[in-house]
């Protein structure tokens, strides 16, 4: 189930909490941080678990611009450069599409937990947070910054 971060007790401390704190630090009093202010090198410990996703409109879709090495490691294939609509398990309707859509439409961070169905031994779940960003103050959501946490590893 996809939830707003504010609907939960939060993603917790640790990796997802640190990511949310970094995103909040970039807001600088604005509803959304600027994409230009987001630098994955500012969060080196989180970099392997980080993703940057461009938002495409008309129709709504999402393009994977950057995927951390931990995400690539647990994925069935490398999603870098692909659109969500090109990935059978992620295209609409899916939990991932709903997660991204909710963050775009609400302008708020969104969170979900998924069962892991891949081949990496010891991983049985994935927690995901995505946080919206914009190109210009007051503009629409143009990018999502996300982070994952592996359950069981």
């Amino acid at each position: 189930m996809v939830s707003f971060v504010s609907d939960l007790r939060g993603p917790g401390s640790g990796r997802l909490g640190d990511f949310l704190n970094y995103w909040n630090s970039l807001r600088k009093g604005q509803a959304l941080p600027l994409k230009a202010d987001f630098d994955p090198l500012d969060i080196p410990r989180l970099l392997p678990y980080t993703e940057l996703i461009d938002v495409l409109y008309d129709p709504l879709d999402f393009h994977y611009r950057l995927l951390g090495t931990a995400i690539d490691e647990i994925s069935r294939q490398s999603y870098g450069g692909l659109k969500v609509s090109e990935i059978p398990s992620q295209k609409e309707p899916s939990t991932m599409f709903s997660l991204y859509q909710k963050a775009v439409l609400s302008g708020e961070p969104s969170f979900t937990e998924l069962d892991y169905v891949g081949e990496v031994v010891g991983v049985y779940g994935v927690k995901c947070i995505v946080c919206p960003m914009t190109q210009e103050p007051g503009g629409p959501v143009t990018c999502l910054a996300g982070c994952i946490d592996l359950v069981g590893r």
Side-chain angles (χ1 to χ4, degrees), residues 110-139:
S110 295
F111 171 83
T112 196
E113 293 183 54
L114 305 163
D115 291 333
Y116 177 67
V117 294
E119 298 174 8
V120 176
V121 176
V123 176
Y124 60 86
V126 180
K127 295 179 182 182
C128 308
I129 187 171
V130 290
C131 302
M133 299 186 294
T134 186
Q135 290 289 105
E136 57 192 50

Short mmCIF file of all heavy atoms in Angstrom, two decimals, residues 110-139:
data_model
loop_
_atom_site.label_atom_id
_atom_site.label_comp_id
_atom_site.label_asym_id
_atom_site.label_seq_id
_atom_site.Cartn_x
_atom_site.Cartn_y
_atom_site.Cartn_z
N SER A 110 6.22 10.11 -0.62
CA SER A 110 5.37 8.92 -0.51
C SER A 110 6.24 7.71 -0.21
O SER A 110 7.41 7.66 -0.57
CB SER A 110 4.59 8.71 -1.80
OG SER A 110 3.68 9.77 -2.01
N PHE A 111 5.62 6.71 0.41
CA PHE A 111 6.36 5.56 0.94
C PHE A 111 5.58 4.28 0.67
O PHE A 111 4.34 4.29 0.70
CB PHE A 111 6.52 5.78 2.45
CG PHE A 111 7.07 4.60 3.19
CD1 PHE A 111 8.43 4.37 3.25
CD2 PHE A 111 6.22 3.73 3.85
CE1 PHE A 111 8.94 3.30 3.95
CE2 PHE A 111 6.72 2.64 4.55
CZ PHE A 111 8.08 2.43 4.60
N THR A 112 6.29 3.21 0.40
CA THR A 112 5.66 1.90 0.29
C THR A 112 6.65 0.82 0.70
O THR A 112 7.86 1.06 0.74
CB THR A 112 5.11 1.62 -1.13
OG1 THR A 112 4.20 0.52 -1.08
CG2 THR A 112 6.21 1.34 -2.12
N GLU A 113 6.11 -0.34 1.01
CA GLU A 113 6.92 -1.54 1.26
C GLU A 113 6.47 -2.61 0.30
O GLU A 113 5.27 -2.79 0.06
CB GLU A 113 6.72 -2.04 2.69
CG GLU A 113 7.27 -1.09 3.73
CD GLU A 113 7.13 -1.63 5.14
OE1 GLU A 113 7.61 -2.76 5.39
OE2 GLU A 113 6.56 -0.92 5.97
N LEU A 114 7.43 -3.30 -0.29
CA LEU A 114 7.14 -4.34 -1.28
C LEU A 114 7.77 -5.65 -0.85
O LEU A 114 8.85 -5.67 -0.26
CB LEU A 114 7.75 -3.96 -2.64
CG LEU A 114 7.37 -2.62 -3.24
CD1 LEU A 114 8.35 -2.25 -4.33
CD2 LEU A 114 5.97 -2.71 -3.79
N ASP A 115 7.12 -6.75 -1.20
CA ASP A 115 7.77 -8.06 -1.09
C ASP A 115 8.83 -8.12 -2.18
O ASP A 115 8.62 -7.64 -3.30
CB ASP A 115 6.76 -9.19 -1.30
CG ASP A 115 5.76 -9.29 -0.17
OD1 ASP A 115 6.09 -8.90 0.97
OD2 ASP A 115 4.63 -9.76 -0.43
N TYR A 116 9.96 -8.72 -1.87
CA TYR A 116 11.03 -8.87 -2.85
C TYR A 116 10.88 -10.22 -3.54
O TYR A 116 10.77 -11.25 -2.87
CB TYR A 116 12.40 -8.74 -2.18
CG TYR A 116 13.54 -8.95 -3.14
CD1 TYR A 116 13.78 -8.04 -4.16
CD2 TYR A 116 14.37 -10.06 -3.04
CE1 TYR A 116 14.83 -8.22 -5.05
CE2 TYR A 116 15.42 -10.25 -3.91
CZ TYR A 116 15.64 -9.32 -4.92
OH TYR A 116 16.68 -9.51 -5.80
N VAL A 117 10.86 -10.20 -4.87
CA VAL A 117 10.69 -11.43 -5.64
C VAL A 117 11.90 -11.73 -6.52
O VAL A 117 11.81 -12.53 -7.43
CB VAL A 117 9.40 -11.38 -6.49
CG1 VAL A 117 8.17 -11.35 -5.60
CG2 VAL A 117 9.40 -10.18 -7.43
N GLY A 118 13.02 -11.11 -6.24
CA GLY A 118 14.22 -11.31 -7.05
C GLY A 118 15.04 -12.49 -6.58
O GLY A 118 14.58 -13.34 -5.82
N GLU A 119 16.29 -12.51 -7.03
CA GLU A 119 17.16 -13.65 -6.82
C GLU A 119 18.24 -13.44 -5.76
O GLU A 119 19.04 -14.34 -5.52
CB GLU A 119 17.81 -14.03 -8.14
CG GLU A 119 16.80 -14.44 -9.20
CD GLU A 119 17.43 -14.69 -10.56
OE1 GLU A 119 18.66 -14.69 -10.66
OE2 GLU A 119 16.66 -14.88 -11.51
N VAL A 120 18.28 -12.28 -5.12
CA VAL A 120 19.32 -12.02 -4.13
C VAL A 120 18.94 -12.70 -2.82
O VAL A 120 17.89 -12.43 -2.23
CB VAL A 120 19.52 -10.50 -3.92
CG1 VAL A 120 20.54 -10.24 -2.82
CG2 VAL A 120 19.96 -9.84 -5.22
N VAL A 121 19.78 -13.60 -2.38
CA VAL A 121 19.53 -14.37 -1.16
C VAL A 121 19.56 -13.45 0.06
O VAL A 121 20.42 -12.58 0.17
CB VAL A 121 20.58 -15.49 -1.02
CG1 VAL A 121 20.40 -16.24 0.29
CG2 VAL A 121 20.52 -16.43 -2.20
N GLY A 122 18.61 -13.65 0.95
CA GLY A 122 18.58 -12.90 2.20
C GLY A 122 17.72 -11.65 2.16
O GLY A 122 17.48 -11.04 3.19
N VAL A 123 17.27 -11.24 1.00
CA VAL A 123 16.40 -10.07 0.88
C VAL A 123 14.98 -10.57 0.69
O VAL A 123 14.71 -11.37 -0.20
CB VAL A 123 16.81 -9.16 -0.31
CG1 VAL A 123 15.83 -8.00 -0.46
CG2 VAL A 123 18.23 -8.65 -0.14
N TYR A 124 14.06 -10.12 1.54
CA TYR A 124 12.67 -10.52 1.38
C TYR A 124 11.71 -9.35 1.28
O TYR A 124 10.51 -9.53 1.12
CB TYR A 124 12.23 -11.49 2.49
CG TYR A 124 12.35 -10.92 3.89
CD1 TYR A 124 11.30 -10.18 4.45
CD2 TYR A 124 13.48 -11.14 4.65
CE1 TYR A 124 11.40 -9.67 5.73
CE2 TYR A 124 13.58 -10.64 5.93
CZ TYR A 124 12.53 -9.91 6.47
OH TYR A 124 12.63 -9.39 7.74
N GLY A 125 12.22 -8.14 1.35
CA GLY A 125 11.37 -6.97 1.19
C GLY A 125 12.18 -5.74 0.84
O GLY A 125 13.41 -5.70 1.03
N VAL A 126 11.49 -4.74 0.31
CA VAL A 126 12.12 -3.47 -0.05
C VAL A 126 11.20 -2.35 0.42
O VAL A 126 9.99 -2.37 0.15
CB VAL A 126 12.34 -3.35 -1.58
CG1 VAL A 126 12.99 -2.02 -1.92
CG2 VAL A 126 13.17 -4.50 -2.11
N LYS A 127 11.77 -1.39 1.16
CA LYS A 127 11.05 -0.18 1.55
C LYS A 127 11.49 0.92 0.60
O LYS A 127 12.69 1.04 0.31
CB LYS A 127 11.38 0.21 2.98
CG LYS A 127 10.92 -0.80 4.00
CD LYS A 127 11.31 -0.36 5.40
CE LYS A 127 10.89 -1.38 6.42
NZ LYS A 127 11.22 -0.94 7.79
N CYS A 128 10.55 1.71 0.12
CA CYS A 128 10.86 2.76 -0.87
C CYS A 128 10.24 4.08 -0.43
O CYS A 128 9.08 4.12 -0.01
CB CYS A 128 10.26 2.42 -2.23
SG CYS A 128 10.67 0.80 -2.87
N ILE A 129 11.00 5.15 -0.58
CA ILE A 129 10.48 6.49 -0.40
C ILE A 129 10.82 7.29 -1.65
O ILE A 129 11.90 7.12 -2.21
CB ILE A 129 11.04 7.17 0.87
CG1 ILE A 129 10.33 8.50 1.13
CG2 ILE A 129 12.54 7.35 0.79
CD1 ILE A 129 10.68 9.12 2.48
N VAL A 130 9.88 8.10 -2.13
CA VAL A 130 10.16 9.03 -3.22
C VAL A 130 9.71 10.42 -2.79
O VAL A 130 8.67 10.58 -2.15
CB VAL A 130 9.51 8.63 -4.56
CG1 VAL A 130 10.17 7.40 -5.14
CG2 VAL A 130 8.02 8.44 -4.44
N CYS A 131 10.51 11.40 -3.16
CA CYS A 131 10.28 12.78 -2.75
C CYS A 131 10.28 13.67 -3.99
O CYS A 131 11.21 13.62 -4.80
CB CYS A 131 11.38 13.23 -1.80
SG CYS A 131 11.53 12.22 -0.31
N PRO A 132 9.25 14.49 -4.15
CA PRO A 132 9.14 15.32 -5.36
C PRO A 132 10.05 16.54 -5.33
O PRO A 132 10.34 17.09 -4.27
CB PRO A 132 7.66 15.74 -5.35
CG PRO A 132 7.28 15.72 -3.90
CD PRO A 132 8.09 14.62 -3.27
N MET A 133 10.48 16.95 -6.52
CA MET A 133 11.29 18.15 -6.69
C MET A 133 10.80 18.90 -7.93
O MET A 133 10.05 18.36 -8.74
CB MET A 133 12.77 17.79 -6.84
CG MET A 133 13.33 17.07 -5.63
SD MET A 133 15.12 16.78 -5.70
CE MET A 133 15.25 15.66 -7.05
N THR A 134 11.25 20.12 -8.07
CA THR A 134 10.82 20.96 -9.19
C THR A 134 12.02 21.66 -9.82
O THR A 134 13.09 21.76 -9.21
CB THR A 134 9.77 22.00 -8.71
OG1 THR A 134 9.27 22.71 -9.83
CG2 THR A 134 10.36 22.97 -7.71
N GLN A 135 11.84 22.14 -11.04
CA GLN A 135 12.90 22.88 -11.74
C GLN A 135 12.97 24.34 -11.28
O GLN A 135 14.02 24.95 -11.31
CB GLN A 135 12.65 22.89 -13.25
CG GLN A 135 12.83 21.56 -13.93
CD GLN A 135 14.27 21.14 -14.00
OE1 GLN A 135 14.68 20.27 -13.25
NE2 GLN A 135 15.03 21.74 -14.86
N GLU A 136 11.81 24.89 -10.88
CA GLU A 136 11.75 26.31 -10.52
C GLU A 136 10.80 26.50 -9.35
O GLU A 136 9.83 25.73 -9.21
CB GLU A 136 11.28 27.15 -11.71
CG GLU A 136 9.93 26.71 -12.23
CD GLU A 136 9.58 27.34 -13.57
OE1 GLU A 136 10.40 27.29 -14.49
OE2 GLU A 136 8.46 27.87 -13.66
N PRO A 137 11.04 27.49 -8.50
CA PRO A 137 10.15 27.70 -7.35
C PRO A 137 8.69 27.84 -7.79
O PRO A 137 8.37 28.57 -8.73
CB PRO A 137 10.67 29.00 -6.74
CG PRO A 137 12.10 29.08 -7.17
CD PRO A 137 12.14 28.46 -8.54
N GLY A 138 7.83 27.11 -7.13
CA GLY A 138 6.40 27.17 -7.43
C GLY A 138 6.00 26.38 -8.67
O GLY A 138 4.82 26.36 -9.03
N GLY A 139 6.95 25.72 -9.32
CA GLY A 139 6.66 24.97 -10.54
C GLY A 139 6.12 23.59 -10.24
O GLY A 139 6.05 23.15 -9.09
#
